[in-house]
Amino acid sequence: MIQFQIQGMRCSGCANKITQAILKCDASAVVMADLESRCVSIASDLPAASLRNIISALGYHVGDPG
């Protein structure tokens, strides 16, 4: 499981937008977003760099994976 801090993720719509973008690239991914901590946890076969690029392309600033 990879975790990213997401600056700009402020509502459930933002979390859904990120989740859908990741699922579009990896339909078997598991994405959990925590709005309070602005953290997204992702279980995916995609490398961390690809996941970061997917989220960044949506206009969010992505912190280092944890």
Side-chain angles (χ1 to χ4, degrees), residues 6-23:
I6 311 294
Q7 292 181 8
M9 183 176 74
R10 293 186 171 84
C11 65
S12 60
C14 295
N16 187 50
K17 184 176 178 180
I18 292 168
T19 299
Q20 293 305 313
I22 292 168
L23 291 175

Side-chain angles (χ1 to χ4, degrees), residues 18-31 54:
I18 292 168
T19 299
Q20 293 305 313
I22 292 168
L23 291 175
K24 185 175 180 180
C25 296
D26 178 3
S28 64
V30 175
V31 184
I54 292 166

Side-chain angles (χ1 to χ4, degrees), residues 5 7-8 12 18-20 26-28 30 32 34-36 38 40 48 52-53 56 58 60 66:
Q5 287 294 125
Q7 292 181 8
S12 60
I18 292 168
T19 299
Q20 293 305 313
D26 178 3
S28 64
V30 175
M32 293 176 282
D34 183 343
L35 292 174
E36 196 170 310
R38 289 182 170 66
V40 174
R52 175 190 294 275
N53 290 339
S56 293
L58 298 172
Y60 299 99

